[in-house]
C-alpha cells in the first residue's frame, strides 16, 4: 500500500499525522508529508483511517 498527499489541497490540519504518525508527518511548510515509500503492514488500517478522516479528502491510497 502507498499513500500520497495532494499538497495543493492539504490544509495542514494535522489529523493524518495524529491518526497515523508512522506514515504522515507535518512538514516545515505546515503541510502533511508522507514519510515512508510503502505503508508498513501494521499501519495500513490507521493509514486508511487517516485518509477517511482527512477533511478535504486529499490523501490518496493505492492498494497493493
Ligand atoms: S488530514 Fe488532510 S488536510 Fe489534514 S493535514 Fe492531513 S492531508 Fe492535510
Amino acid at each position: 500500500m502507498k499513500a500520497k498527499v495532494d499538497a495543493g489541497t492539504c490544509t495542514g490540519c494535522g489529523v493524518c499525522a495524529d491518526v497515523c504518525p508512522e506514515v504522515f508527518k507535518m512538514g516545515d511548510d505546515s503541510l502533511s508529508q508522507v514519510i515512508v515509500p510503502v505503508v508498513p503492514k501494521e499501519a495500513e488500517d490507521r493509514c486508511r483511517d487517516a485518509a477517511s478522516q482527512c477533511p478535504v479528502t486529499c490523501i490518496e491510497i493505492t492498494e497493493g
Side-chain angles (χ1 to χ4, degrees), residues 2-40:
K2 292 183 180 177
K4 202 171 128 187
V5 171
D6 177 1
T9 308
C10 174
T11 63
C13 72
V15 166
C16 54
D18 283 346
V19 172
C20 187
E22 299 96 327
V23 174
F24 303 98
K25 181 178 176 220
M26 303 314 291
D28 293 339
D29 56 3
S30 298
L31 299 178
S32 173
Q33 299 174 344
V34 174
I35 55 173
V36 286
V38 176
V39 176

Side-chain angles (χ1 to χ4, degrees), residues 39-59:
V39 176
K41 278 270 178 240
E42 66 275 14
E44 287 187 348
D45 284 348
R46 281 189 295 281
C47 187
R48 286 190 196 95
D49 285 348
S52 66
Q53 290 181 40
C54 174
V56 290
T57 57
C58 69
I59 298 172

